[in-house]
Amino acid sequence: GRGNEGESLNGPIAKMGGSAAAVLSFLPSLGPATVAPLPSGGAEGDDGAPSCFPYHPDSPSKTSPADLPTLFSGCALRLTDGRNLGYIIVGDLNSDRVVVLCNGNPGSRLEARVHGNAAYAAGVRLVCVDRQGVGLSDPVKTEEQNTLKQFVSDVGELLDHLCVDRYSVVGYSTGGPAALALSKYDERVSRVGLLASVAPLAVFGTNDMPLEARFMFFLSKRAPGLLTALVSNRVGNHLSRNKAIADPSHLDRLIEEFSVSRVWQGTDKEFVDNVDWTKRRLFMVSTLEAFRQGAKGCTDYGSLITDHWGFLLATIDKPVHLYHGTKDDTVPIQMTEYLESRLQHTETRFIQGQGHLSLICRYMGQALKDVTTDLDCNPQVAL
């Protein structure tokens, strides 16, 4: 059984097994493991627009050096405390319906591009930010500021800058806690969509998750410094943004590893095998950008969500749309059942035959539509 919400994790994770070698072998696929490939059409809302990152048949690698500035592009806002906050806006840029996307970890603002077609088809202006210490966002100045509430404050400043009076939120996988925090602390939030979200790990635990994920969360809780060192080693030797920029063929090798990673199983393995190469590149670029400043921003967030989130689920009064695939081998379906049992107002869909990645991909468009059904307009300010 599960403890009451707000309780501490009862002792260390038992009988996990695993080793540092297991963690290192898992790290190359960490980014893609928490996000979802965009299908070539149909359910994701592909509008048929040509790709802005074309294939280069005459190049030694599939990625041209000319693509790199666009692939790693984005904006940054100077916050009132002097830090920078990285962000990107995709989808229907003329829409008054705004949704903030909270991606999984590790990942960056660039992950929003994976869902750009879905956002456009749903008539949504999709905003995605880099969390503290990730991508273009500066880290917080003290460890005490590494909280979900600080994340909400940062996003709030950005939305003030964008003149957004009302918005909704969609989060997936480990981005779910950030999405719920926005709904808790920002009165402007209308609705929330959670796709295959984790539940509070301090209460629920991780015993039903894959071994590698359990080991990673264990280190996040018990030995965050060791985890940062392990990930930093992998980033420096393999998941290096600088290497990819200096040699685009390195990026292409990482994209191929995305396809053959041992982390994919069952439904998700079949799904990844059929993902368009350009979409795979978007995932990998998002992961490399997440480690732009090193590993600490991502590992700090991992530590943050393994601890108490700072609020009780029962105190969230916004409508929450929950989605989970019955074939999800990454986040157990019991986590969504737990969220449903604790949140005040939920509408839950358990999708037959969908995995973790396939669900997030195929139902992102539906989630964006669901959370914007009664969203107030945000008339754009003339610049």
Side-chain angles (χ1 to χ4, degrees):
R2 307 299 176 193
N4 294 324
E5 189 184 349
E7 291 180 353
S8 299
L9 184 66
N10 292 323
I13 298 171
K15 299 181 181 178
M16 285 184 358
S19 64
V23 173
L24 290 176
S25 67
F26 179 62
L27 288 178
S29 46
L30 274 177
T34 59
V35 297
L38 181 70
S40 57
E44 180 63 8
D46 193 338
D47 61 357
S51 170
C52 57
F53 307 118
Y55 172 69
H56 295 270
D58 299 327
S59 174
S61 64
K62 296 179 182 178
T63 300
S64 164
D67 293 339
L68 296 173
T70 303
L71 283 170
F72 289 97
S73 65
C75 304
L77 173 71
R78 180 63 61 88
L79 300 172
T80 54
D81 66 359
R83 291 181 297 119
N84 289 317
L85 179 70
Y87 71 96
I88 195 171
I89 305 175
V90 301
D92 186 348
L93 303 184
N94 295 316
S95 175
D96 293 334
R97 294 189 293 174
V98 175
V99 175
V100 171
L101 178 69
C102 298
N103 56 276
N105 184 48
S108 68
R109 69 190 183 282
L110 300 178
E111 217 154 278
R113 286 188 177 140
V114 175
H115 310 293
N117 285 345
Y120 185 84
V124 166
R125 189 164 26 134
L126 192 63
V127 180
C128 189
V129 307
D130 289 325
R131 288 184 283 260
Q132 300 99 317
V134 169
L136 294 175
S137 290
D138 293 331
V140 291
K141 297 181 178 180
T142 66
E143 290 297 324
E144 290 72 22
Q145 290 178 299
N146 182 36
T147 64
L148 290 171
K149 199 167 186 178
Q150 182 64 53
F151 171 78
V152 173
S153 176
D154 293 349
V155 172
E157 281 198 48
L158 172 62
L159 296 179
D160 289 343
H161 173 73
L162 298 175
C163 301
V164 174
D165 294 325
R166 195 77 173 158
Y167 69 99
S168 288
V169 188
V170 169
Y172 53 83
S173 196
T174 49
L180 288 171
L182 284 165
S183 70
K184 167 63 179 177
Y185 295 120
D186 194 339
E187 295 180 352
R188 291 177 289 184
V189 172
S190 176
R191 291 176 178 267
V192 183
L194 298 180
L195 297 98
S197 173
V198 297
L201 300 176
V203 178
F204 193 90
T206 61
N207 287 335
D208 296 322
M209 301 185 78
L211 175 62
E212 293 91 343
R214 291 162 58 194
F215 193 34
M216 296 293 287
F217 283 125
F218 175 75
L219 290 181
S220 293
K221 180 72 174 178
R222 305 296 180 183
L226 174 60
L227 178 60
T228 299
L230 292 172
V231 178
S232 295
N233 177 273
R234 200 45 150 170
V235 169
N237 295 327
H238 198 65
L239 294 174
S240 171
R241 176 182 180 276
N242 291 338
K243 282 186 178 181
I245 290 176
D247 178 13
S249 66
H250 179 71
L251 172 58
D252 295 325
R253 286 191 295 271
L254 293 176
I255 295 168
E256 293 308 313
E257 291 180 13
F258 174 93
S259 306
V260 300
S261 169
R262 68 185 180 87
V263 79
W264 307 124
Q265 299 177 17
T267 300
D268 284 328
K269 173 60 177 173
E270 180 182 355
F271 187 69
V272 169
D273 286 343
N274 293 284
V275 173
D276 177 81
W277 178 88
T278 301
K279 309 300 189 299
R280 295 175 188 171
R281 181 168 65 173
L282 293 178
F283 295 130
M284 189 51 61
V285 165
S286 173
T287 303
L288 296 180
E289 180 68 10
F291 296 125
R292 181 182 187 129
Q293 302 177 54
K296 196 170 187 303
C298 294
T299 58
D300 279 353
Y301 181 73
S303 298
L304 177 61
I305 64 172
T306 59
D307 203 348
H308 190 268
W309 294 354
F311 57 89
L312 298 178
L313 296 175
T315 63
I316 294 176
D317 59 2
K318 309 294 173 53
V320 181
H321 300 261
L322 300 168
Y323 313 81
H324 211 111
T326 60
K327 299 293 186 180
D328 192 328
D329 294 321
T330 303
V331 174
I333 199 168
Q334 290 83 0
M335 288 200 174
T336 288
E337 292 173 344
Y338 180 87
L339 292 171
E340 182 184 33
S341 72
R342 294 299 193 272
L343 294 164
Q344 293 185 35
H345 310 290
T346 62
E347 180 178 322
T348 306
R349 300 185 186 185
F350 295 110
I351 314 301
Q352 293 295 321
Q354 295 301 324
H356 191 67
L357 308 181
S358 62
L359 172 93
I360 296 170
C361 172
R362 290 173 174 154
Y363 282 82
M364 177 59 71
Q366 183 62 54
L368 292 174
K369 292 176 183 177
D370 289 343
V371 300
T372 56
T373 53
D374 55 0
L375 193 61
D376 294 339
C377 290
N378 294 285
Q380 298 204 35
V381 177
L383 299 178

